[in-house]
Amino acid sequence: MVQKIKKSEATKNKLLDSLWKLILKGEKRLSVQTITQKAGTAYGSFYRYFKNVDEMHRELIEKRVYALAEFAEESLGVIKSPILRFYVGYYFALTMFRDKNVSAWVMKHPKFMNRTWHKFSEPTAEKFFLEAIENKYSADFTKANLEHYRRVRKFVYWTYQEILSQHAEGRPEDQIFIDFMDSTNLLDLPKKVHRSYVKKAIKVVAKFDLPD
């Protein structure tokens, strides 16, 4: 029974990985046929794991975001400041689909992306902010800043479409991050404080090899 479960999971992951490879190559025809051919599996095997290709897109987006979340959790642990962790985490989030072909693909599935971002980003951000307030790490960050973020974050999800569009155009990652963070100032911090975190985040991120 255990072997069957492992084989089932392996086949499903093979299909998801094949879809990812097709997207990276810029394949336009993402059908059951092209996906199963790439995976080297039978056509009918697809429907053992997915109702349709749309469901597969949703699961692949979740899988890629989850992989980034694991990478970020491990990477952010070395950063003492919970507020800086938030800024660095946002850099990771804004650039996780930076490949041109991948950006074009995610833009076709905004609801899936928004739902996934909401699922993974909000609990992590809340944890950072509550830590900052409890430990009084930064006098510039208070409950008022946390409440501000809670009000604006729901609107931020849809701006991700513009981020993806800029990646698809080949705009530099640092500049996208700077423009986004400056235009939103998600925590409503004083300008100088905010700019300081942006600059520090870019320096920190440069030390990591972001996953593809």
Side-chain angles (χ1 to χ4, degrees):
M1 183 65 178
V2 174
Q3 289 181 342
K4 287 184 179 180
I5 292 175
K6 287 184 177 179
K7 184 178 179 181
S8 174
E9 290 176 350
T11 302
K12 182 177 182 179
N13 285 328
K14 192 174 182 179
L15 288 165
L16 286 167
D17 289 343
S18 295
L19 174 57
W20 181 246
K21 290 174 183 177
L22 288 169
I23 292 167
L24 287 171
K25 288 178 62 178
E27 175 63 51
K28 302 298 182 184
R29 187 168 174 264
L30 300 174
S31 64
V32 175
Q33 183 177 0
T34 57
I35 294 166
T36 52
Q37 283 181 346
K38 182 70 175 178
T41 61
Y43 183 93
S45 66
F46 177 92
Y47 294 100
R48 295 176 189 170
Y49 311 102
F50 309 102
K51 293 180 181 179
N52 50 46
V53 176
D54 227 26
E55 182 179 63
M56 194 179 189
H57 288 312
R58 177 183 59 77
E59 289 205 26
L60 181 56
I61 287 174
E62 288 186 357
K63 181 181 179 181
R64 300 305 305 182
V65 172
Y66 182 75
L68 178 81
E70 286 188 317
F71 167 80
E73 185 175 353
E74 181 180 344
S75 304
L76 298 177
V78 301
I79 302 173
K80 183 178 179 180
S81 165
I83 304 303
L84 181 55
R85 267 181 254 149
F86 171 78
Y87 275 76
V88 173
Y90 243 91
Y91 191 106
F92 289 159
L94 296 181
T95 57
M96 66 178 156
F97 293 123
R98 60 193 179 280
D99 177 88
K100 291 182 180 181
N101 292 329
V102 174
S103 294
W105 164 65
V106 179
M107 286 174 68
K108 297 176 182 177
H109 307 284
K111 290 185 179 180
F112 296 158
M113 185 61 222
N114 290 351
R115 188 184 309 158
T116 303
W117 195 352
H118 166 79
K119 178 180 178 181
F120 286 98
S121 70
E122 289 193 7
T124 302
E126 288 277 332
K127 181 180 177 181
F128 292 163
F129 299 148
L130 293 175
E131 179 186 344
I133 293 171
E134 182 179 351
N135 297 335
K136 298 181 180 178
Y137 183 86
S138 173
D140 297 299
F141 187 82
T142 66
K143 288 184 179 179
N145 299 100
L146 174 55
E147 290 304 318
H148 174 83
Y149 173 71
R150 285 171 174 168
R151 288 195 301 273
V152 303
R153 65 187 176 191
K154 294 179 181 179
F155 299 98
V156 171
Y157 300 141
W158 288 100
T159 66
Y160 202 79
Q161 288 292 99
E162 176 58 26
I163 300 297
L164 294 169
S165 176
Q166 293 192 22
H167 281 306
E169 293 170 2
R171 201 146 180 264
E173 295 166 19
D174 284 358
Q175 196 57 54
I176 293 174
F177 173 71
I178 291 170
D179 287 350
F180 174 82
M181 298 305 283
D182 280 354
S183 63
T184 57
N185 191 357
L186 296 170
L187 306 185
D188 196 29
L189 292 171
K191 189 173 183 179
K192 288 185 178 180
V193 176
H194 163 75
R195 285 286 178 83
S196 175
Y197 278 119
V198 169
K199 291 179 180 178
K200 288 177 182 177
I202 292 174
K203 289 182 179 180
V204 171
V205 168
K207 300 177 182 178
F208 296 99
D209 291 324
L210 296 179
D212 293 324

